Amino acid sequence: MKAKIHVVLKPGVLDPQGKAVEHALHGLGFKGVEDVRQGKYIELKLKSKDRKKAQAEVEKMCKALLANTVIENYSVELAE
Amino acid sequence: MKAKIHVVLKPGVLDPQGKAVEHALHGLGFKGVEDVRQGKYIELKLKSKDRKKAQAEVEKMCKALLANTVIENYSVELAE
C-alpha cells in the first residue's frame, strides 16, 4: 500500500520559506502571486495491506516524526 | 484562484532526505516502511481568473524557480 502525506504549517503560523518564494516570484515578474505557503510532501510504501491499520500506522509516524503538530497539520491519503 | 503544486524528484534520482526519513522511521519501530521519497508542496493564490492562463503561469513559475527540471518533476492542480 502507498501513502501520500502532506505536512503544512497551520494557518497563522509564519512561513518564512513561503515568503521567500513569494518575493522571488515577484522579482521574476509574477506580480499576481499571493499567500505562498510551502510544505512537505512525503510518499512511502507500507507492507501492511489492511487499510485501517495502514492509516493508523501512518498517523503514528506523522505524530512521532514527520510533522511537528504544535505548528503543522498533516493529511494522509492511501492508495493501492 | 488557488494553485497546489507538487515537486518531486524524478524516479531513479537518489533521495538522501527520503532515505534519512526511512532510517529514522525504522529506528522508531516502523519496520514495514519502504521507498520513502520526500518532495515539496507549495500552495499559492493567483489574481488571474482565467484557468488556462493560470495553468500556463504556474507552469512558467515551476520551470523558472520552483522545480529543477533536470532532476525534478512537478504537477499543478488549480482550484477556485
Side-chain angles (χ1 to χ4, degrees):
Chain A
M1 188 161 295
K2 267 190 157 186
K4 296 176 179 189
I5 303 157
H6 287 91
V7 179
V8 293
L9 284 168
K10 289 184 180 176
V13 176
L14 202 68
D15 180 0
Q17 202 175 7
K19 275 282 164 236
V21 171
E22 190 174 320
H23 285 300
L25 287 171
H26 289 169
L28 287 169
F30 299 102
K31 301 290 184 194
V33 177
E34 287 172 340
D35 290 344
V36 181
R37 308 278 290 174
Q38 181 161 346
K40 285 181 284 184
Y41 172 63
I42 299 156
E43 284 180 347
L44 51 83
K45 274 189 202 153
L46 289 166
K47 277 184 194 145
S48 163
K49 292 207 168 133
D50 180 298
R51 218 183 166 80
K52 233 173 166 176
K53 270 189 203 160
Q55 177 82 26
E57 200 181 1
V58 176
E59 291 196 5
K60 255 192 188 170
M61 290 179 208
C62 288
K63 283 177 195 150
L65 182 80
L66 304 177
N68 175 355
T69 54
V70 177
I71 54 167
E72 291 171 327
N73 288 328
Y74 61 84
S75 63
V76 177
E77 282 166 66
L78 293 174
E80 291 309 313
Chain B
M1 188 161 297
K2 267 191 157 186
K4 296 176 179 189
I5 302 157
H6 288 90
V7 179
V8 293
L9 284 168
K10 288 185 180 175
V13 176
L14 201 68
D15 180 0
Q17 203 177 6
K19 275 284 164 234
V21 171
E22 190 173 322
H23 285 299
L25 287 171
H26 289 169
L28 287 170
F30 299 103
K31 301 291 185 194
V33 177
E34 289 173 339
D35 290 344
V36 180
R37 308 277 289 173
Q38 181 160 346
K40 285 180 283 184
Y41 172 63
I42 298 155
E43 284 180 347
L44 51 83
K45 274 189 202 151
L46 289 165
K47 276 184 195 146
S48 163
K49 292 211 167 131
D50 180 299
R51 215 181 168 81
K52 234 176 167 174
K53 270 189 203 160
Q55 177 83 26
E57 201 182 0
V58 176
E59 291 196 6
K60 254 193 190 169
M61 291 178 208
C62 288
K63 284 178 193 147
L65 181 80
L66 304 176
N68 174 355
T69 54
V70 178
I71 54 167
E72 290 171 328
N73 288 329
Y74 61 85
S75 63
V76 178
E77 282 165 66
L78 294 175
E80 292 308 315

